[in-house]
Amino acid sequence: MKQVRKAVIPAAGWGTRFFPITKAMPKEMVPVVDKPVIQYVVEEAVASGCDDILIITGKNKRAIEDHFDNAPELNAHLKNSGDLELLAESEKLADLADIHFIRQKEQKGLGDAILCAKQHVGDEPFTVLLGDTICIPDAGAKPCTAQLIDVYDKYHLPVIGVETVPEHKIKDYGIIDGVLLEDRLYQINDIIEKPTPEEAPSNVGAMGRYLLTPDIFAILEDTKPGRKGEIQLTDALRRYDASLGYVSKSTRYDIGDIPGWMVSNLQLLLKHPIYGDLIRDALKKI
């Protein structure tokens, strides 16, 4: 069985829910505490053993490439200034992984974005990490993506990371119809893209982490445009012969819109080893 080494990170969306922040800056570069969202996602992939990463970008996303590129002028300045800690951080960022970039030429949905990875992935299983979600593992647990890889290694089936969704958020998620096989593990019978609470088969939804097998590409190529005229990954996933849903031992922070981004910043700031006490004191004063 092939080892899961490749990760695909879709990052081509317009980010309209962040307008006007995203008028000139990619949504994936919006900072959470002290680094951009996309860096958290790449670091999770690397910590999960995925050292070959493809980021699907679009127009006006050059800043993402620059962020992970080598910066000799900056490094020289930091070295001459004696900022050796920042120099080490800059060099580490450029050496995180083997990162590749490809553009999704039209905004045709998440399924189409993943289809752009077909040539890069080839015939290997691969992970997908959405760029508007940060997953922080529970104490003592592996990264979220590594947990999905463990499930795949055991059952040899595609795995969707899932979580319990509040009723008012069901309309924003792909919701599964599944049977609980064992603790945290579901057999998925169907998955419905963004249903109303009345239409939803459960309150368990996809959390933006997937482990897919290469046959997803043939399915995507045969998937007709669905919601909003886009090729939906959910429509393709429901055509898998069999798949699993796994509730990971991690906390998910939703950076998909401004309220979610603000709350996630606050939650992660309060847990930060350097800034936590400062923010806690400031909140008490407020």
Side-chain angles (χ1 to χ4, degrees), residues 6 12 17 26 68 100 120 140 153 168 176 187 208 216 226 250 256:
K6 293 184 176 179
R17 286 181 291 178
F68 292 105
H100 309 266
H120 186 86
D153 287 344
H168 71 281
I176 70 165
Q187 172 187 304
I216 193 67
S250 60

Side-chain angles (χ1 to χ4, degrees), residues 78-93:
L78 293 173
K79 185 176 181 180
N80 293 335
S81 301
D83 293 326
L84 300 185
E85 287 188 13
L86 290 181
L87 174 61
E89 188 172 343
S90 176
E91 292 175 338
K92 180 181 177 182
L93 187 56

Side-chain angles (χ1 to χ4, degrees), residues 6 56 72 92 102 129 136 184 208 227-228 250 270 278:
K6 293 184 176 179
I56 313 294
K92 180 181 177 182
I102 189 171
L129 299 86
I136 304 298
R184 298 181 174 273
R227 187 182 177 90
K228 295 184 178 179
S250 60
L270 289 170
L278 175 67

